Amino acid sequence: MTQDLDTLQARHLDALLAAYAETLGHQALDGVLIHSGRPRCHLGDDQEASFAAYGHFVHWTGQAHLAHSWLLVRPGHTPRLYLHAPEDFWHLPAALPDEPWVNRFEVERGRFEAPPALPGGRYAVIGDIDAGEARALGAEANPPALLAALDEGRVRKSAYEVACVSEANRQALAGHAAARRRFLEGGAELDIQLAYLGASRQREGELPYANIVGVNAHGGVLHYQHYDREPPARRHSLLVDAGHRHRGLCADITRTWAGPDADPAFAPLIEGVTAIKDRLAAALAPGVEFVALQERMHRELAGLLVDQGIVRGSVEGAVESGLTRAFCPHGLGHLLGVQVHDVAGRVDAAGRPLPPPEAHPALRLTRRLEPGMVVTIEPGLYVIPMLLAAHRGRGDVNWGRVERLADHGGIRIEDNLAITAEGATNLTPALPD
């Protein structure tokens, strides 16, 4: 696996060199200096918050946690990596992995809180840097046209990136299996989180995003951010939205399970949302408008609500009245790559805005699908009191059944898929029983 990845990575770097040379030529630039970023201290403290490197830096290096480092890309020259690794007895200096890609860079180790000097010519510097710092370098900070072009270059993933997302999925699924087991054993949310981290072999600070581990009603808080330390008296449900990084590329997977105290109506809803996910995934192909898939998701959800006796009216009425949006306020999915919500999902290939429809403001991907894109498909169905309150007077809703499901929070099923010339490949393997 590693040898294959190394070969694919060499091709990935060749393609990046060619693409950057073309882009920099169009922008009349001699090169670009990419800053990995700088950690920030908590206010009034000397402890730093969790850090993730700038996406364009990770796109080249796969190193998601290198701070204060820089990458100089110049057409016709070997990329130069300024690795911030000062001698230090408080911390272990940063080091690069023993992997072949490192030999594709000129590596200079030292102290680089301040940017390195640039050669003569016209340069841009991108990342966490202000205009004053850029002027001192004789460069332009974050020129919009350059950023738009580089973002567009990340929309279609290389075979190497797809392979890394696939491996990140494999490792994340081991965590999901362990999380489910710990829940069924009676663990609290914190116990479930620790089981996930242990099985997926990662520290909390290495996660591509903060894991969502919601037991019972907490599964209905879309970005639930806490971990109860005591197990609940009754176990209705578990929702786990948790990922992994492999060589900088991200997995983003969500699963929902019924607990031993679940209402009998809950498991069929999980099966229904899973079936919707599968049908929408099967519809992925080049040329498909993602907004149309978003609208189809709501029709499918309406059908499920009617079939399960939660809504007594018509599918069309549930969608047109906004009822399905109260049960699922988020988008169907997004681009995935070195960032979980990867760049350029709401612009066209020329960088022109493609805003989401007014009815679906949370949709993060509004483009037509193309080969090479990696996307998530994540339909959901939740009982969220603040959203359902606007519909409380409706007679076509079985409010008794809704109330019985309130302690279960919600359902989200999420896979990661790569768009191919023929359709799509699901990168998320089946979860073992």
PDB file of all heavy atoms in Angstrom, residues 340-354:
ATOM      1  N   VAL A 340     -11.926  19.266   5.432  1.00  0.00           N
ATOM      2  CA  VAL A 340     -13.160  18.498   5.469  1.00  0.00           C
ATOM      3  C   VAL A 340     -14.220  19.179   4.612  1.00  0.00           C
ATOM      4  O   VAL A 340     -14.876  18.535   3.792  1.00  0.00           O
ATOM      5  CB  VAL A 340     -13.633  18.308   6.924  1.00  0.00           C
ATOM      6  CG1 VAL A 340     -15.012  17.677   6.962  1.00  0.00           C
ATOM      7  CG2 VAL A 340     -12.650  17.436   7.675  1.00  0.00           C
ATOM      8  N   HIS A 341     -14.422  20.469   4.809  1.00  0.00           N
ATOM      9  CA  HIS A 341     -15.281  21.248   3.917  1.00  0.00           C
ATOM     10  C   HIS A 341     -14.331  21.922   2.932  1.00  0.00           C
ATOM     11  O   HIS A 341     -13.857  23.037   3.155  1.00  0.00           O
ATOM     12  CB  HIS A 341     -16.097  22.276   4.702  1.00  0.00           C
ATOM     13  CG  HIS A 341     -17.028  21.648   5.692  1.00  0.00           C
ATOM     14  ND1 HIS A 341     -17.352  22.239   6.895  1.00  0.00           N
ATOM     15  CD2 HIS A 341     -17.705  20.473   5.670  1.00  0.00           C
ATOM     16  CE1 HIS A 341     -18.182  21.464   7.566  1.00  0.00           C
ATOM     17  NE2 HIS A 341     -18.402  20.380   6.841  1.00  0.00           N
ATOM     18  N   ASP A 342     -14.037  21.219   1.844  1.00  0.00           N
ATOM     19  CA  ASP A 342     -12.968  21.690   0.974  1.00  0.00           C
ATOM     20  C   ASP A 342     -13.420  22.906   0.158  1.00  0.00           C
ATOM     21  O   ASP A 342     -14.612  23.195   0.030  1.00  0.00           O
ATOM     22  CB  ASP A 342     -12.499  20.568   0.056  1.00  0.00           C
ATOM     23  CG  ASP A 342     -10.997  20.629  -0.207  1.00  0.00           C
ATOM     24  OD1 ASP A 342     -10.338  21.565   0.278  1.00  0.00           O
ATOM     25  OD2 ASP A 342     -10.474  19.734  -0.914  1.00  0.00           O
ATOM     26  N   VAL A 343     -12.421  23.580  -0.402  1.00  0.00           N
ATOM     27  CA  VAL A 343     -12.626  24.882  -1.038  1.00  0.00           C
ATOM     28  C   VAL A 343     -13.354  24.750  -2.370  1.00  0.00           C
ATOM     29  O   VAL A 343     -13.394  23.689  -2.991  1.00  0.00           O
ATOM     30  CB  VAL A 343     -11.281  25.593  -1.245  1.00  0.00           C
ATOM     31  CG1 VAL A 343     -10.670  25.979   0.092  1.00  0.00           C
ATOM     32  CG2 VAL A 343     -10.318  24.717  -2.051  1.00  0.00           C
ATOM     33  N   ALA A 344     -13.929  25.874  -2.805  1.00  0.00           N
ATOM     34  CA  ALA A 344     -14.492  26.065  -4.148  1.00  0.00           C
ATOM     35  C   ALA A 344     -15.781  25.296  -4.385  1.00  0.00           C
ATOM     36  O   ALA A 344     -16.153  25.048  -5.528  1.00  0.00           O
ATOM     37  CB  ALA A 344     -13.465  25.721  -5.229  1.00  0.00           C
ATOM     38  N   GLY A 345     -16.500  24.971  -3.344  1.00  0.00           N
ATOM     39  CA  GLY A 345     -17.761  24.261  -3.502  1.00  0.00           C
ATOM     40  C   GLY A 345     -18.909  25.146  -3.954  1.00  0.00           C
ATOM     41  O   GLY A 345     -19.903  24.637  -4.478  1.00  0.00           O
ATOM     42  N   ARG A 346     -18.786  26.463  -3.760  1.00  0.00           N
ATOM     43  CA  ARG A 346     -19.881  27.378  -4.096  1.00  0.00           C
ATOM     44  C   ARG A 346     -19.494  28.381  -5.156  1.00  0.00           C
ATOM     45  O   ARG A 346     -20.022  29.480  -5.221  1.00  0.00           O
ATOM     46  CB  ARG A 346     -20.339  28.124  -2.839  1.00  0.00           C
ATOM     47  CG  ARG A 346     -21.129  27.279  -1.854  1.00  0.00           C
ATOM     48  CD  ARG A 346     -21.515  28.133  -0.663  1.00  0.00           C
ATOM     49  NE  ARG A 346     -22.561  27.531   0.144  1.00  0.00           N
ATOM     50  CZ  ARG A 346     -23.150  28.122   1.178  1.00  0.00           C
ATOM     51  NH1 ARG A 346     -22.798  29.356   1.520  1.00  0.00           N
ATOM     52  NH2 ARG A 346     -24.094  27.511   1.862  1.00  0.00           N
ATOM     53  N   VAL A 347     -18.533  28.024  -6.013  1.00  0.00           N
ATOM     54  CA  VAL A 347     -18.148  28.865  -7.145  1.00  0.00           C
ATOM     55  C   VAL A 347     -18.020  27.971  -8.363  1.00  0.00           C
ATOM     56  O   VAL A 347     -17.881  26.747  -8.251  1.00  0.00           O
ATOM     57  CB  VAL A 347     -16.809  29.601  -6.890  1.00  0.00           C
ATOM     58  CG1 VAL A 347     -16.935  30.580  -5.734  1.00  0.00           C
ATOM     59  CG2 VAL A 347     -15.684  28.606  -6.636  1.00  0.00           C
ATOM     60  N   ASP A 348     -18.078  28.588  -9.564  1.00  0.00           N
ATOM     61  CA  ASP A 348     -17.863  27.802 -10.765  1.00  0.00           C
ATOM     62  C   ASP A 348     -16.373  27.737 -11.065  1.00  0.00           C
ATOM     63  O   ASP A 348     -15.540  28.252 -10.314  1.00  0.00           O
ATOM     64  CB  ASP A 348     -18.680  28.352 -11.933  1.00  0.00           C
ATOM     65  CG  ASP A 348     -18.240  29.741 -12.388  1.00  0.00           C
ATOM     66  OD1 ASP A 348     -17.148  30.207 -11.992  1.00  0.00           O
ATOM     67  OD2 ASP A 348     -19.000  30.371 -13.152  1.00  0.00           O
ATOM     68  N   ALA A 349     -16.024  27.094 -12.175  1.00  0.00           N
ATOM     69  CA  ALA A 349     -14.614  26.888 -12.490  1.00  0.00           C
ATOM     70  C   ALA A 349     -13.857  28.189 -12.701  1.00  0.00           C
ATOM     71  O   ALA A 349     -12.632  28.233 -12.562  1.00  0.00           O
ATOM     72  CB  ALA A 349     -14.493  25.996 -13.726  1.00  0.00           C
ATOM     73  N   ALA A 350     -14.562  29.259 -13.028  1.00  0.00           N
ATOM     74  CA  ALA A 350     -13.925  30.568 -13.202  1.00  0.00           C
ATOM     75  C   ALA A 350     -13.904  31.382 -11.917  1.00  0.00           C
ATOM     76  O   ALA A 350     -13.473  32.533 -11.925  1.00  0.00           O
ATOM     77  CB  ALA A 350     -14.650  31.345 -14.304  1.00  0.00           C
ATOM     78  N   GLY A 351     -14.386  30.802 -10.815  1.00  0.00           N
ATOM     79  CA  GLY A 351     -14.389  31.502  -9.538  1.00  0.00           C
ATOM     80  C   GLY A 351     -15.600  32.375  -9.308  1.00  0.00           C
ATOM     81  O   GLY A 351     -15.656  33.104  -8.310  1.00  0.00           O
ATOM     82  N   ARG A 352     -16.586  32.309 -10.202  1.00  0.00           N
ATOM     83  CA  ARG A 352     -17.798  33.115 -10.029  1.00  0.00           C
ATOM     84  C   ARG A 352     -18.721  32.459  -9.002  1.00  0.00           C
ATOM     85  O   ARG A 352     -18.871  31.228  -9.002  1.00  0.00           O
ATOM     86  CB  ARG A 352     -18.526  33.287 -11.364  1.00  0.00           C
ATOM     87  CG  ARG A 352     -17.763  34.101 -12.401  1.00  0.00           C
ATOM     88  CD  ARG A 352     -18.580  34.248 -13.681  1.00  0.00           C
ATOM     89  NE  ARG A 352     -18.737  32.968 -14.341  1.00  0.00           N
ATOM     90  CZ  ARG A 352     -18.034  32.567 -15.401  1.00  0.00           C
ATOM     91  NH1 ARG A 352     -17.094  33.361 -15.904  1.00  0.00           N
ATOM     92  NH2 ARG A 352     -18.259  31.390 -15.958  1.00  0.00           N
ATOM     93  N   PRO A 353     -19.361  33.248  -8.153  1.00  0.00           N
ATOM     94  CA  PRO A 353     -20.183  32.669  -7.082  1.00  0.00           C
ATOM     95  C   PRO A 353     -21.342  31.841  -7.621  1.00  0.00           C
ATOM     96  O   PRO A 353     -21.983  32.195  -8.611  1.00  0.00           O
ATOM     97  CB  PRO A 353     -20.694  33.903  -6.326  1.00  0.00           C
ATOM     98  CG  PRO A 353     -19.731  34.994  -6.644  1.00  0.00           C
ATOM     99  CD  PRO A 353     -19.270  34.726  -8.045  1.00  0.00           C
ATOM    100  N   LEU A 354     -21.595  30.734  -6.950  1.00  0.00           N
ATOM    101  CA  LEU A 354     -22.771  29.899  -7.187  1.00  0.00           C
ATOM    102  C   LEU A 354     -23.488  29.753  -5.842  1.00  0.00           C
ATOM    103  O   LEU A 354     -23.346  28.745  -5.154  1.00  0.00           O
ATOM    104  CB  LEU A 354     -22.370  28.520  -7.717  1.00  0.00           C
ATOM    105  CG  LEU A 354     -21.790  28.430  -9.123  1.00  0.00           C
ATOM    106  CD1 LEU A 354     -21.331  27.005  -9.405  1.00  0.00           C
ATOM    107  CD2 LEU A 354     -22.819  28.882 -10.158  1.00  0.00           C
TER     108      LEU A 354
END
